[in-house]
Amino acid sequence: MKTPSTLEQLIQALRVLPGVGPKSAQRMAYHLLQHEQAGAARLARALADALQKLHHCARCNTFTEQEVCELCNDPYRDDSQLCVVEMPADLLRMEQTLVFKGRYFVLMGRLSPLDGIGPRDIHFDRLLARASDGKVREVILSTNFTVEGEATAHYLAESLRARGLQVSRIARGLPVGGELEHIDSGTLAQALIERRAL
Amino acid sequence: MKTPSTLEQLIQALRVLPGVGPKSAQRMAYHLLQHEQAGAARLARALADALQKLHHCARCNTFTEQEVCELCNDPYRDDSQLCVVEMPADLLRMEQTLVFKGRYFVLMGRLSPLDGIGPRDIHFDRLLARASDGKVREVILSTNFTVEGEATAHYLAESLRARGLQVSRIARGLPVGGELEHIDSGTLAQALIERRAL
Ligand SMILES: [Zn+2]
Ligand SMILES: [Zn+2]
């Protein structure tokens, strides 16, 4: 008595998903076959579609169905500012603020030497070429304030400055509506250190 | 600036997986497109294959690629014993013991009134018909010793006994190699209550 091979293959295939081990892959396979046949069919099609149609924007590196994405093609954006983010989701969050009118570059990751993720994996050469187009005046590093995001910003700042580019980093501090009493002391300390003259 | 629709569709489609919310679906989609294109293609095929080829065994209800599964077709199994388990994985665990030589019925779930999972969802009518084939002498309830598994066993025992069938329940007690000092007291209490005469 063995698991039917198509079921075994599905369980194995599900393990490609991040954070999905053997137990959880089995549970997912049973769930899909038992309760979500239509959803599973949709997922199969969505995967095939995405693989076929999506690729990286030739300018900003985000996912797009075109050669160059909508935003990079928008003639009304400011070519002199280039905002560097880790992931496409960060680009969307930034856009939601309605404050930034420049262009973007999406690293599609962050430096993480312990995981073997180096400059090549965050497309450093492409960022360099993009930032050196003669129009970009300022590169705004908007990676996360995690250990890895900070290390990435540090590395990029050094390398970009060495090439004569002006580099800035988004600010750290209390959130809007934040109360000193409820903020972690690391953030509060940084908010103090990075205080602005009024 | 919107998420490309094929990407949005993939993120939505991934949410069919149990325990996968919007954040986690987004992370999975990026991971697949960025680092696991071959794996994602394999997953799409495995899903389509499984949906097309797998269905429930007409006799025991487990997943199979045939009309009746290997085990139900095996002429050397004992028709007088029917072991009832919750899931196909439980059937496999049971087979690994090499102790049981009878037949199986897989509920594909367990009763859970709070989640709206009733007798119909665990294929009670089919179990009843299967157990009433004139050959089955004993139904061995091997659902889990969880609250839901116990409630399921209780319900099945009542209903099957009412139809004149002999019903048993797998034993509860210390695991092989288990030490009193390290066993939870609930299990120890049950091991005492369910002690066997020697
Ligand atoms: Zn672009
Ligand atoms: Zn069967």
Side-chain angles (χ1 to χ4, degrees), chain A residues 54-119:
Chain A
L54 287 178
H55 52 258
H56 295 286
C57 171
R59 301 213 80 203
C60 76
N61 203 32
T62 196
F63 288 121
T64 177
E65 293 166 29
Q66 289 101 46
E67 169 69 14
V68 169
C69 80
E70 231 177 291
L71 199 149
C72 289
N73 259 330
D74 183 343
Y76 298 106
R77 306 287 300 210
D78 179 356
D79 283 327
S80 72
Q81 294 191 317
L82 185 69
C83 178
V84 177
V85 294
E86 295 182 18
M87 297 298 289
D90 302 327
L91 186 162
L92 295 177
R93 284 291 297 121
M94 201 61 91
E95 282 297 282
Q96 284 163 11
T97 66
L98 305 173
V99 163
F100 183 68
K101 297 296 174 205
R103 307 284 184 183
Y104 290 93
F105 187 87
V106 182
L107 301 172
M108 288 288 170
R110 71 245 7 119
L111 290 179
S112 182
L114 291 177
D115 302 314
I117 299 173

Side-chain angles (χ1 to χ4, degrees), chain A residues 30-173:
Chain A
Y30 290 149
H31 178 77
L32 291 174
L33 292 168
Q34 190 69 7
H35 302 296
E36 293 282 3
Q37 300 233 351
R42 256 194 325 273
L43 177 54
R45 274 196 309 276
L47 281 164
D49 259 27
L51 288 169
Q52 197 212 315
K53 295 187 194 159
L54 287 178
H55 52 258
H56 295 286
C57 171
R59 301 213 80 203
C60 76
N61 203 32
T62 196
F63 288 121
T64 177
E65 293 166 29
Q66 289 101 46
E67 169 69 14
V68 169
C69 80
E70 231 177 291
L71 199 149
C72 289
N73 259 330
D74 183 343
Y76 298 106
R77 306 287 300 210
D78 179 356
D79 283 327
S80 72
Q81 294 191 317
L82 185 69
C83 178
V84 177
V85 294
E86 295 182 18
M87 297 298 289
D90 302 327
L91 186 162
L92 295 177
R93 284 291 297 121
M94 201 61 91
E95 282 297 282
Q96 284 163 11
T97 66
L98 305 173
V99 163
F100 183 68
K101 297 296 174 205
R103 307 284 184 183
Y104 290 93
F105 187 87
V106 182
L107 301 172
M108 288 288 170
R110 71 245 7 119
L111 290 179
S112 182
L114 291 177
D115 302 314
I117 299 173
R120 203 220 291 252
D121 301 297
I122 60 168
H123 310 92
F124 177 65
D125 289 345
R126 284 188 53 203
L127 168 59
L128 207 62
R130 177 70 188 82
S132 312
D133 71 346
K135 293 180 183 166
V136 172
R137 294 273 154 268
E138 179 187 4
V139 179
I140 304 169
L141 300 175
S142 304
T143 55
N144 292 326
F145 284 103
T146 56
V147 173
E148 292 169 350
E150 285 278 69
T152 305
H154 184 76
Y155 175 86
L156 294 180
E158 298 268 302
S159 316
L160 293 167
R161 263 200 307 259
R163 270 120 184 134
L165 286 155
Q166 186 188 324
V167 182
S168 64
R169 179 91 169 100
I170 51 168
R172 200 163 24 178

Side-chain angles (χ1 to χ4, degrees), chain A residues 3 5-6 34 56 65 92, chain B residues 3 5-6 34 56 65 92:
Chain A
T3 304
S5 66
T6 42
Q34 190 69 7
H56 295 286
E65 293 166 29
L92 295 177
Chain B
T3 306
S5 68
T6 43
Q34 190 70 7
H56 295 286
E65 293 166 29
L92 295 176

Side-chain angles (χ1 to χ4, degrees), chain A residues 169-188:
Chain A
R169 179 91 169 100
I170 51 168
R172 200 163 24 178
L174 270 72
V176 173
E179 297 171 297
L180 263 67
E181 193 183 340
H182 301 116
I183 214 78
D184 69 286
S185 47
T187 300
L188 187 54

Side-chain angles (χ1 to χ4, degrees), chain B:
Chain B
M1 187 63 189
K2 299 198 310 285
T3 306
S5 68
T6 43
L7 179 56
E8 192 50 58
Q9 272 159 29
L10 175 57
I11 294 171
Q12 282 304 319
L14 282 163
R15 295 196 53 195
V16 77
L17 298 169
V20 175
K23 278 276 161 199
S24 157
Q26 192 183 61
R27 195 167 45 90
M28 285 178 168
Y30 290 148
H31 178 78
L32 291 174
L33 292 168
Q34 190 70 7
H35 302 296
E36 292 281 5
Q37 299 233 351
R42 254 193 328 272
L43 177 54
R45 274 197 309 275
L47 281 165
D49 258 27
L51 288 169
Q52 196 212 316
K53 294 190 194 156
L54 287 177
H55 51 258
H56 295 286
C57 170
R59 300 214 80 203
C60 76
N61 203 33
T62 197
F63 287 120
T64 177
E65 293 166 29
Q66 290 101 45
E67 169 69 13
V68 170
C69 79
E70 233 177 289
L71 198 149
C72 289
N73 259 331
D74 183 344
Y76 298 105
R77 306 286 300 211
D78 180 354
D79 283 327
S80 73
Q81 293 191 319
L82 185 69
C83 178
V84 177
V85 293
E86 294 182 18
M87 297 298 290
D90 303 326
L91 186 161
L92 295 176
R93 286 290 299 121
M94 201 61 90
E95 282 296 283
Q96 283 163 10
T97 66
L98 304 174
V99 164
F100 183 67
K101 297 296 175 203
R103 307 285 184 181
Y104 289 94
F105 187 87
V106 182
L107 300 172
M108 289 289 171
R110 69 235 25 107
L111 289 179
S112 182
L114 290 178
D115 302 313
I117 300 173
R120 202 219 291 252
D121 301 296
I122 60 169
H123 310 94
F124 177 65
D125 288 345
R126 284 187 54 203
L127 167 59
L128 206 63
R130 177 69 188 82
S132 311
D133 71 345
K135 292 179 182 165
V136 173
R137 295 271 155 268
E138 180 188 3
V139 179
I140 303 169
L141 300 174
S142 305
T143 55
N144 292 326
F145 283 103
T146 56
V147 173
E148 292 170 351
E150 286 278 69
T152 305
H154 184 78
Y155 175 85
L156 295 179
E158 297 269 301
S159 315
L160 293 166
R161 263 200 307 260
R163 272 122 183 133
L165 286 154
Q166 187 189 323
V167 181
S168 64
R169 180 89 170 101
I170 51 168
R172 201 164 24 179
L174 271 71
V176 173
E179 298 171 297
L180 263 66
E181 195 183 341
H182 300 117
I183 213 78
D184 69 286
S185 47
T187 301
L188 187 55
Q190 285 299 336
L192 184 65
I193 293 163
E194 297 177 20
R195 66 191 180 278
R196 297 191 309 149
L198 291 179

